[in-house]
Amino acid sequence: MRHILPAIAISIVVAFSIIGLIQNKNGVTRYLIASEDPEELKQKEMLKDIERMLVDKIDDKYDKALYAKIRRFPGNNWDFINPVGSVRALFEDDTTEMRVEYSMIGLEPICYSQYCRIEFRTGSSCANGTEHRIGDTYYNKNLFEEDPWDDTGFYFGYKGSAKGYFHINTGNGYYSFIGHTVVVSSLGGEFIGCGVLTPQTIVVD
């Protein structure tokens, strides 16, 4: 506890805080106290899984990877939408086609429209929300007359979570995307999540 209380008071608080015993997936029993809401515990475990999911298990054919932690977009004013998750971009040799993997929780209950999308943008920061330039969708305009992000980058969200991948060729390679923003949009097209792409080391066994 953060606050110092007399020993008797601490005993009373602890005695009345214990509301039962729970068993984790390893069969270890521990006390469940009032401050540990079962739903919050579940969310914490899911978050750990999400953070681990995009750290390993990379297909051998990919030799470069970029990683972004997705967090609540500062301009997101929805109380019930608080995205937390990861996005990873995988590149093979010097090609400009990439595999984009994602896993997120804290989304809308369901998201299925053409606006439910993940996009890489020309900006370099998520700070200050809508007041900051997160940039336009990032692709090589010398190679493409139309924006390739218009036809891909969609995700399907159900019960507040989404997990999957897609492929896209933007005409830009691995090094071009380093330090640029990843933006997640909602059912209505509002920006709800954001992150910045950074290099991820691939360990070869």
Side-chain angles (χ1 to χ4, degrees), residues 105-120:
I105 59 174
L107 305 172
E108 298 161 280
I110 190 167
C111 198
Y112 59 89
S113 78
Q114 71 270 29
Y115 299 111
C116 304
R117 58 173 61 241
I118 298 168
E119 298 171 324
F120 292 6

Side-chain angles (χ1 to χ4, degrees), residues 70 87-88 98-104 107 111-121 137-138 147-157 162-170 182-187 192:
I70 301 300
V87 170
R88 182 169 69 183
M98 58 183 172
R99 173 187 170 101
V100 179
E101 302 174 340
Y102 58 88
S103 183
M104 299 176 289
L107 305 172
C111 198
Y112 59 89
S113 78
Q114 71 270 29
Y115 299 111
C116 304
R117 58 173 61 241
I118 298 168
E119 298 171 324
F120 292 6
R121 291 181 165 256
T137 48
Y138 194 17
D147 187 348
W149 291 101
D150 288 343
D151 299 322
T152 191
F154 307 107
Y155 70 87
F156 174 70
K163 181 178 179 180
Y165 68 91
F166 59 87
H167 292 87
I168 183 171
N169 187 346
T170 65
V182 179
V183 177
V184 180
S185 300
S186 70
L187 182 66
I192 57 173

Side-chain angles (χ1 to χ4, degrees), residues 67-144:
Y67 176 83
K69 285 186 176 182
I70 301 300
R71 295 296 184 266
R72 184 187 186 95
F73 186 73
N76 169 11
N77 296 318
W78 298 95
D79 293 335
F80 65 95
I81 303 176
N82 187 19
V84 176
S86 304
V87 170
R88 182 169 69 183
L90 300 176
F91 298 83
E92 181 181 358
D93 297 325
D94 295 322
T95 62
T96 57
E97 181 174 349
M98 58 183 172
R99 173 187 170 101
V100 179
E101 302 174 340
Y102 58 88
S103 183
M104 299 176 289
I105 59 174
L107 305 172
E108 298 161 280
I110 190 167
C111 198
Y112 59 89
S113 78
Q114 71 270 29
Y115 299 111
C116 304
R117 58 173 61 241
I118 298 168
E119 298 171 324
F120 292 6
R121 291 181 165 256
T122 56
S124 59
S125 173
C126 301
N128 301 322
T130 55
E131 297 178 4
H132 186 88
R133 277 186 58 83
I134 57 171
D136 302 318
T137 48
Y138 194 17
Y139 66 98
N140 192 329
K141 295 183 179 180
N142 293 322
L143 297 178
F144 295 94

Side-chain angles (χ1 to χ4, degrees), residues 14-22 31-38:
V14 173
F16 285 93
S17 293
I18 297 174
I19 58 175
L21 296 170
I22 61 172
Y31 291 105
L32 173 65
I33 60 176
S35 61
E36 293 181 297
D37 179 74

